[in-house]
Amino acid sequence: MNDRARVLILGGTAEAVELANRAATDFDITYSLAGRTKNPARPENVSVRTGGFGGAKALADWMQKNGTDAVVDATHPFAAQIAVNAAAACGAAGLSRLKLLRPAWEEQPGDHWYAAPDIAGAAALLPSIGKRAFLSVGRLEIEAFAGVAGTELLIRSIDPPADADRLPGAIFIAGRGPFTVADETALLRAHKIDVLVSKNAGGGATYAKIAAARELGVKVIMIGRPPAPTGDLADNVDDTVAWLNRQAG
Ligand code: NAP
């Protein structure tokens, strides 16, 4: 890479924002957002672009047009499609790419976890696990629970879900983290929740609900992650900055 290399950071996570803020001193950063959330967290003093590229080929074209030297895919562990696209586009263009993937949560003493392979698997499992569920999944994923019978649903999302009417009887609440363990404990208690459905996002920002479930003996259906892309991986921002410096060296 040249002196001030151009790095595309595929973002949408707290680590991506932190990485962009730190790397901006030494690299020309473009921070990319899918554009799904209103008012997402953004890094400072970097160029931010918003919206899908239009698939792997269009991403490769964008990188060529913008003189991209390296890519950090710092998207959410469950953002599987963009990870595949980034791997394909960088592979085709011969560009260095690293996936920044924070560690998954591990079951702790006092937890009662039930593993689900994906959202549909969690929805299928739900009626056999509890009667009053807190769904902590994305607003675009709640549709998978439309056919669930016999379990009441509490759903929290940052922006109002577009297809709320597909889940008649569900309770919708608005909320944007971070939430404290006290917040989450109060919510689970107030709604007499006996099962929490969560993706294994990892990281600290959304862990409070898992700790609250442990404290209250609430069961958790934990949705496993999609496979990580092949190639370079880091599980923290420090190692990612070191990787960028090695690419530049
Ligand atoms: P996804 O299924 O992997 O991606 C779907 C499409 O969205 C991609 O094919 C791409 O469109 C576009 N896209 C995704 N991330 C992008 C980015 N950073 N910049 C530009 N385009 C992007 O992703 P997702 O699960 O819907 O997540 C969307 C975004 O939300 C990601 O940036 C992720 O970091 C963030 N996020 C996701 C979750 C989650 O649970 N999935 C949670 C928190 C935050 P094109 O094919 O048109 O390029």
Side-chain angles (χ1 to χ4, degrees), residues 70-178:
V71 175
V72 177
D73 171 4
T75 58
H76 191 271
F78 281 80
Q81 187 59 55
I82 189 70
V84 167
N85 291 357
C90 291
L95 287 185
S96 303
R97 172 190 52 87
L98 173 135
K99 174 79 193 179
L100 168 55
L101 196 61
R102 59 194 180 214
W105 295 321
E106 305 273 349
E107 191 170 6
Q108 303 293 320
D111 284 337
H112 306 283
W113 286 13
Y114 298 79
D118 50 27
I119 299 276
L125 195 56
L126 186 54
S128 66
I129 307 291
K131 293 282 165 227
R132 294 180 64 87
F134 176 33
L135 300 189
S136 179
V137 300
R139 74 194 161 98
L140 302 173
E141 292 151 339
I142 59 172
E143 200 182 339
F145 296 86
V148 169
T151 303
E152 289 177 34
L153 306 176
L154 172 69
I155 298 165
R156 178 174 66 199
S157 56
I158 298 174
D159 300 318
D163 45 6
D165 52 349
R166 302 225 27 197
L167 288 98
I171 300 171
F172 290 91
I173 53 172
R176 180 181 211 130

Side-chain angles (χ1 to χ4, degrees), residues 215-246:
E215 208 165 294
L216 297 176
V218 168
K219 296 168 184 169
V220 177
I221 297 179
M222 188 60 80
I223 302 167
R225 293 176 168 192
T230 55
D232 290 352
L233 279 177
D235 68 3
N236 62 74
V237 172
D238 282 351
D239 288 354
T240 307
V241 171
W243 179 87
L244 276 175
N245 287 330
R246 281 200 302 279

Side-chain angles (χ1 to χ4, degrees), residues 46-72:
V46 306
S47 150
V48 178
R49 66 160 302 285
T50 302
F53 295 90
K57 169 75 170 69
L59 172 56
D61 291 346
W62 186 97
M63 294 190 303
Q64 191 185 23
K65 190 170 158 211
N66 289 276
T68 303
D69 294 302
V71 175
V72 177

